[in-house]
Amino acid sequence: MKHKPIVVQVVIDKPLAQGFDYLWDAEKLGNLPEIGHIVEVPFARSKVIGLVIKVSDHSEYEIEKLKTIDRLAPLPPLDPASLRLMNFASQYYVHALGETILPTIPKMWKKAEDWEKAHKKLESAGKQAKKDGNVIAEGLINQDQLNSSQKNALQALLSEGQKRNLFRAILLQGQTGSGKTAVFLNWLASILQDESAQVLLLVPEINLTPQLERRVRAYFPNKKMAVLHSGVSEKKRGVAWYEAMTGKAQIILGTRLAALTPMPNLRAIVVDEEHDPSYKQQDGTRYSARDLAIWRAHDQKTPILLSSATPSLETWMAAQSGRYEYIRLDQRAQGASLPGVHLINTRDPQNQFSPGDADAPKQKSLITKTLARAITKTLKAKKQSLILINRRGYAPVLSCSACSWLSKCTQCSTYTVMHKAGALGRRSVLSCHHCGLIKSIPSFCPDCGNADLKTLGHGTQKLEDAIEEMWPHARVLRVDTDSSRKSKGAEALFQEIHDGNVDIVVGTQMIAKGHDYQNIGLVAVLDADSRLYSADFRAAERLFAQLVQVAGRAGRSGTAGDNGGDIFIETQYPESPVFQYLLRHDVDGFMAFTASEREEAGLPPCSYQALVHAESKSLDKAIRFLTELKVHMKTKGLITKELKVYDPVPKPVMRVAGSERAQLLIESVNRKVLQEALEAVDLELRQDSQGRISKVSRIRWLIERDPIAI
DNA sequence: AGCACGCCGACT
DNA sequence: GTCGGCGTGCTC
Ligand SMILES: [Zn+2]
Ligand SMILES: [Zn+2]
């Protein structure tokens, strides 16, 4: 009589709902199996990496057909809490468990050939880290140096928080410059007095700069910190993940992708700038790192702190209703006053240049007279100006002066943007911002042969030219992804601004992030209207957060006795609520107004949404596919008073890189009802698909939970 | 998803 | 006669 076999179930990185059973040869692998082990398995005609999710002594599958596990990774199994998190994410976002877990494991641990030398790698990395560890820590503000408002906030955090095993969600709301970071870093430091404790600090992609890293390090001089973001090399990422999942690192600082890092001794989570859209993953399993972090804190009974000057409506409402604790930090730490907000009505001729004005530019001005004169004043005061426009390139479209030709992308339903020489290459080009296609600029109109082609509208490049012409003696710098790619990255450009080597900065929203500039006198936003004018119901909420953020840049000038700067917004609709609340610096007023709007319309956070995306060669087929799905949902009785299914519509940018896209919106006031409907939809679609491509008409489909843009 | 198997049209 | 189109089914 033979021993009972050891059978393990393994999930792999494929959109397959089921796991696969394998035999475990304990002698060969040198270990008994545990749930959470990472293994290499033979699958079809190749070898793949998988994760053990079940251990037993029998299989539903014919036992003699089972293959044997090839190799076991030299790692401890993922801890049970992390596996619960993965399981939840897989269900909630309607993706297979394997394709949810495996992408969160760094590549270094998915190369079975390298597993044998893995520990040598870790050793050499350890030596390197000792050298790197000498980076200067800076920006420490210890508990005694906090202002009274900060001290109160910290007190509130600590009073309850020392109790173990207690879920708390806390919103820390305070303006830019109110010192939120110092509060939560001091809080984390006190939690880390427990030697084995681990904490997770999530920050938006763009905020995770070397400066921030140094600043965080300053608070934890004797602790090990692991940094995880997309810019970290594969090897360093593998090491950081290893240190987190083994409990060797106490502070895990990272972006969205760090939210799913296993941490066996997790004691607290901070999500900084919790409203930031970069927390939402936009491909693969489309999770929200913030929402997963909240679930994780709840599941593991640890506190989570959400920090923002302009919270997401979801978080703000939870705090208002008492579901979250609410800590306010409204005293400006550095004694700087709030920036003055100025709305410039572009329809008012008084604000525009007239031909007689001495300072009017030769061509039609790209900015209002009111703004131009404010910039002149700022220059005279030896202060810097930031001018924002969220449009890269020279002009958003090229046109023919004789016929109706416009520069369109051949692969997308969009215009190609003109970039002048130097930005994307040596020559001027037309570039599609959706598919990346780059074409040379035609000398003649392709339709009528006319040689006179004109640009329509303007982007950062053209604005830069115009500004240089209007203030020939000013030092002008352009900051956008094009200019930062050309120089040594955005950091180098930010440093120029910080060092005062620049008078006027022209750029996209990216200028507003990260850095702490000292001498900004003026911030101008030129394209607020185009950001507000959008089919997406969250457009106003996003714009408000962006405007508050850039206003914070102007107000941040910390030199004592100095006034804060000014923010100028050019708009046709100064009476719009977004601007009116901004004018009064009334964040809560805006939130309350938006909340009541959403409630009335039954939109999130007062309801829950999901999108079914469909993509195919022709829009027709995609729409028909979604229509059939809707009909199916109806016949199955899924559409009820509590579950609304809209008609399928083309996506805002319908065609991208040759494929045409449509979407179906599903909405419910009841989370559970929505979840069940989505699971039914997933099952139905899977049945007629291979992976996520339908058998008939070859439609690529995807379910997205809690979409942030509709 | 990725891949092999298999059954029909048009092309050396 | 065979090359290749993609519909179908399988992967422990
Ligand atoms: Zn023409
Ligand atoms: Zn394109």
Side-chain angles (χ1 to χ4, degrees), chain A residues 154-175:
Chain A
L154 184 60
Q155 204 52 49
L157 284 169
L158 291 174
S159 60
E160 291 263 348
Q162 300 313 69
K163 281 184 228 146
R164 275 283 190 84
N165 295 326
L166 182 70
F167 168 67
R168 307 163 67 201
I170 308 129
L171 168 58
L172 178 64
Q173 183 181 331
Q175 307 153 350

Side-chain angles (χ1 to χ4, degrees), chain A residues 409-414 416 431-437 655-658:
Chain A
C409 178
T410 51
Q411 299 303 302
C412 311
S413 52
T414 53
T416 51
S431 151
C432 173
H433 289 182
H434 288 268
C435 70
L437 198 83
R655 201 167 115 93
V656 169

Side-chain angles (χ1 to χ4, degrees), chain A residues 344-396:
Chain A
I344 302 175
N345 185 345
T346 51
R347 283 175 306 185
D348 183 349
Q350 296 251 309
N351 285 325
Q352 301 293 355
F353 281 109
S354 43
D357 292 322
D359 53 346
K362 285 180 220 90
Q363 278 117 32
K364 189 181 181 307
S365 180
L366 301 186
I367 62 173
T368 55
K369 180 176 77 181
T370 311
L371 177 58
R373 292 192 175 164
I375 292 172
T376 301
K377 221 174 114 191
T378 308
L379 279 171
K380 281 197 181 127
K382 301 250 181 292
K383 292 213 161 208
Q384 294 168 300
S385 299
L386 302 184
I387 305 176
L388 284 98
I389 179 163
N390 275 357
R391 215 179 291 137
R392 278 187 304 125
Y394 188 79

Side-chain angles (χ1 to χ4, degrees), chain A residues 106-107 132 205 208 213 226-241 253-255 257-258:
Chain A
K107 292 209 176 66
D132 293 352
E205 200 75 51
L208 189 31
E213 217 176 296
V227 181
L228 285 156
H229 60 88
S230 55
V232 173
S233 72
E234 274 307 329
K235 188 181 166 193
K236 278 192 176 172
R237 197 160 143 190
V239 173
W241 184 86
L253 168 63
T255 57
L257 61 90

Side-chain angles (χ1 to χ4, degrees), chain A residues 400 402-405 445 447-450:
Chain A
C400 170
C403 75
S404 60
W405 179 83
C445 169
D447 282 4
C448 74
N450 172 27

Side-chain angles (χ1 to χ4, degrees), chain A residues 499-521:
Chain A
D499 293 347
N501 298 332
V502 179
D503 301 312
I504 304 175
V505 187
V506 172
T508 55
Q509 183 75 14
M510 74 182 278
I511 327 173
K513 289 279 193 173
H515 263 249
D516 204 353
Y517 309 121
Q518 296 304 314
N519 194 34
I520 307 292

Side-chain angles (χ1 to χ4, degrees), chain A residues 553-682:
Chain A
R553 288 286 160 257
R556 237 177 189 186
S557 46
T559 37
D562 224 341
N563 284 327
D566 290 279
I567 171 166
F568 290 82
I569 296 161
E570 291 191 342
T571 174
Q572 290 190 51
Y573 317 103
E575 69 287 349
S576 163
V578 198
F579 302 129
Q580 288 300 314
Y581 284 108
L582 185 76
L583 202 58
R584 301 195 289 270
H585 298 281
D586 186 3
V587 174
D588 296 289
F590 176 75
M591 293 290 165
F593 167 78
T594 311
S596 69
E597 262 191 345
R598 299 279 176 87
E599 215 163 312
E600 224 163 273
L603 288 168
C606 304
S607 68
Y608 302 96
Q609 294 182 326
L611 283 177
V612 183
H613 301 268
E615 194 179 310
S616 109
K617 290 237 165 64
S618 83
L619 177 67
D620 234 42
K621 283 184 183 167
I623 294 272
R624 215 173 308 143
F625 173 81
L626 292 174
T627 308
E628 275 165 30
L629 176 62
K630 185 179 173 177
V631 169
H632 175 265
M633 289 180 78
K634 206 166 202 166
T635 53
K636 284 270 163 151
L638 289 168
I639 303 180
T640 60
K641 279 200 297 298
E642 287 212 297
L643 191 105
K644 189 169 174 184
V645 179
Y646 291 76
D647 284 331
V649 291
K651 302 206 84 187
V653 179
M654 188 271 283
R655 201 167 115 93
V656 169
S659 63
E660 307 200 338
R661 305 143 1 126
Q663 63 188 31
L664 181 76
L665 179 62
I666 306 175
E667 191 179 87
S668 175
V669 287
N670 186 327
R671 243 180 148 119
K672 214 171 171 182
V673 168
L674 181 61
Q675 181 69 37
E676 280 161 12
L678 293 180
E679 279 168 20
V681 166
D682 185 55

